[in-house]
């Protein structure tokens, strides 16, 4: 019924023949792709080599290279160190100390020389200067021999390990740790200003716990191998403890610049009994090198 409409040439949709697939183009793409795959290494990331991973530093060498002994006693009567005399002395016992000669050879050499007397001085017949209950005790203070202090040594090497950070690797982790006093040193300034001054004051921790306040400030160079009961006995000796009011006044005097404040503090924590090193020396053993598992 309707007349067939004839589209004008302008409105007619042009007809294009279906293009034949270009197999050469497809093949060309495949070849390029295969070429890329063949030249590109599809490697799986390998784990980092051992040389690329930062390795932790080796643990400090706590091999015991030398052994020394120290005998401690209490003098209940007048003590005359210059005469090597104390009537009715009461022996406390002997400490056997293992020294870490590989870790801090200079510190160990000087300490051993003070024990044997080869330095021109000795720890023998010198006093335990201070006892800090539950922490440590200090001995080896330099000064006047008639006061039980160490005669300044003349033949010791200068200890450059005191400025070497590697010498401060060990911690004061338990009772029986032996270290060179640096932060706790109380030698008189007049002695320290001597160009030939050599620090030989040492401390031994008494436990029962660690003393972290001493870490990185004093050089650990040995450990008590035998005689921890002697260390405990020394730690139990009563000491002079000032009243809190005296402490406050001393702090105020120091704040105001009073030179008498440090002099007054020198008597604090001094033992009320005369504790001294009655003998000391080196123990000659066939094989001194040991590495006890319990060393700090």
């Amino acid at each position: 019924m309707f007349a067939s409409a004839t589209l004008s040439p302008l409105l007619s949709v042009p007809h294009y023949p279906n293009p034949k697939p270009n197999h050469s183009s497809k093949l060309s793409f495949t070849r390029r792709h295969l070429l890329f795959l063949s030249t590109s290494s599809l490697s799986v990331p390998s784990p980092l080599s051992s040389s690329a991973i930062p390795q932790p530093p080796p643990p400090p060498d706590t091999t015991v290279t030398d052994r020394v002994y120290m005998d401690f006693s209490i003098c209940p009567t007048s003590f005359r160190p210059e005469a090597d005399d104390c009537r009715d002395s009461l022996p406390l016992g002997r400490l056997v100390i293992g020294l870490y000669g590989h870790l801090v050879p200079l510190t160990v050499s000087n300490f051993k020389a003070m024990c044997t007397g080869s330095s021109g001085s000795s720890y023998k017949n010198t006093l335990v200067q201070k006892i800090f209950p539950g922490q440590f005790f200090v001995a080896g203070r330099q000064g006047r021999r008639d006061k039980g202090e160490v005669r300044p040594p003349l033949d010791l090497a200068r200890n450059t390990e005191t400025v070497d950070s590697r010498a401060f690797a060990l911690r004061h982790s338990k009772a029986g740790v032996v270290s060179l006093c640096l932060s706790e040193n109380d030698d008189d300034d007049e002695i320290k200003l001597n160009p030939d001054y050599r620090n030989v004051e040492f401390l031994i921790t008494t436990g029962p716990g660690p003393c972290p306040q001493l870490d990185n400030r004093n050089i650990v160079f040995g450990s008590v191998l035998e005689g921890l009961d002697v260390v405990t006995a020394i730690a139990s000796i009563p000491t002079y403890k000032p009243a809190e009011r005296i402490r406050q006044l001393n702090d105020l005097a120091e704040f105001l610049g009073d030179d008498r404040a440090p002099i007054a503090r020198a008597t604090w924590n001094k033992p009320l009994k005369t504790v001294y090193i009655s003998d000391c020396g080196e123990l000659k053993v066939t094989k001194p090198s040991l590495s006890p598992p319990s060393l700090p």
Side-chain angles (χ1 to χ4, degrees):
M1 178 172 181
F2 295 98
S4 61
T6 303
L7 295 175
S8 66
L10 293 175
L11 297 177
S12 62
V13 178
H15 175 72
Y16 298 102
N18 292 331
K20 295 181 180 181
N22 190 350
H23 295 288
S24 60
S25 174
K26 183 177 181 180
L27 183 61
S28 173
F29 170 79
T30 304
R31 285 175 181 173
R32 288 196 301 269
H33 185 64
L34 291 177
L35 181 62
F36 173 78
L37 291 178
S38 63
T39 56
S40 301
S41 60
L42 299 177
S43 59
V44 179
S46 59
L48 294 174
S49 62
S50 59
S51 60
I53 301 177
Q55 298 296 323
D61 188 350
T62 55
T63 301
V64 175
T65 57
D66 305 272
R67 292 184 182 185
V68 297
Y69 69 89
M70 284 186 167
D71 295 335
F72 288 84
S73 301
I74 292 179
C75 185
T77 58
S78 60
F79 179 55
R80 297 189 302 167
E82 71 280 3
D84 295 343
D85 179 37
C86 177
R87 298 178 181 179
D88 304 323
S89 65
L90 304 175
L92 289 175
R94 169 171 290 190
L95 299 186
V96 176
I97 301 173
L99 306 178
Y100 308 148
H102 293 163
L103 181 65
V104 280
L106 287 174
T107 303
V108 165
S109 176
N110 286 353
F111 183 77
K112 188 169 65 172
M114 289 295 298
C115 290
T116 61
S118 62
S119 64
S121 183
S122 175
Y123 291 127
K124 184 177 179 179
N125 289 316
T126 61
L127 299 175
V128 171
Q129 298 293 335
K130 291 187 177 182
I131 301 174
F132 297 86
Q135 301 180 62
F136 58 94
F137 68 83
V138 178
R141 185 178 190 269
Q142 296 184 44
R144 293 172 53 180
R145 184 65 174 170
D146 60 338
K147 288 186 175 182
E149 298 172 331
V150 172
R151 182 185 299 110
L154 302 176
D155 301 323
L156 288 182
R158 184 174 298 277
N159 192 349
T160 57
E161 291 166 351
T162 58
V163 293
D164 187 349
S165 60
R166 295 170 296 181
F168 297 85
L170 295 180
R171 301 288 180 258
H172 300 77
S173 56
K174 62 175 186 176
V177 175
V178 186
S179 65
L180 181 68
C181 284
L182 297 177
S183 67
E184 308 304 317
N185 183 284
D186 63 349
D187 288 335
D188 291 337
D189 291 338
E190 182 180 352
I191 294 177
K192 291 180 180 180
L193 292 175
N194 189 322
D196 297 325
Y197 170 73
R198 302 290 187 268
N199 181 16
V200 294
E201 194 173 37
F202 67 94
L203 64 85
I204 299 180
T205 56
T206 60
C211 294
Q213 75 275 17
L214 302 177
D215 296 342
N216 302 312
R217 305 174 67 192
N218 304 274
I219 299 177
V220 175
F221 63 87
S223 179
V224 174
L225 303 179
E226 300 175 22
L228 280 177
D229 58 325
V230 180
V231 173
T232 303
I234 295 174
S236 65
I237 294 174
T239 60
Y240 171 68
K241 299 178 181 178
E244 184 62 28
R245 178 64 174 172
I246 295 178
R247 291 180 179 271
Q248 293 175 355
L249 291 175
N250 186 274
D251 292 340
L252 177 61
E254 184 180 22
F255 176 77
L256 296 176
D258 193 333
D259 295 336
R260 294 172 296 179
I263 298 176
R265 284 199 305 271
T267 62
W268 297 2
N269 297 105
K270 278 188 173 293
L272 298 180
K273 296 181 180 180
T274 303
V275 188
Y276 70 105
I277 302 171
S278 53
D279 198 9
C280 56
E282 183 180 7
L283 288 175
K284 298 291 186 180
V285 292
T286 305
K287 294 182 179 180
S289 297
L290 296 172
S291 295
S294 60
L295 290 177

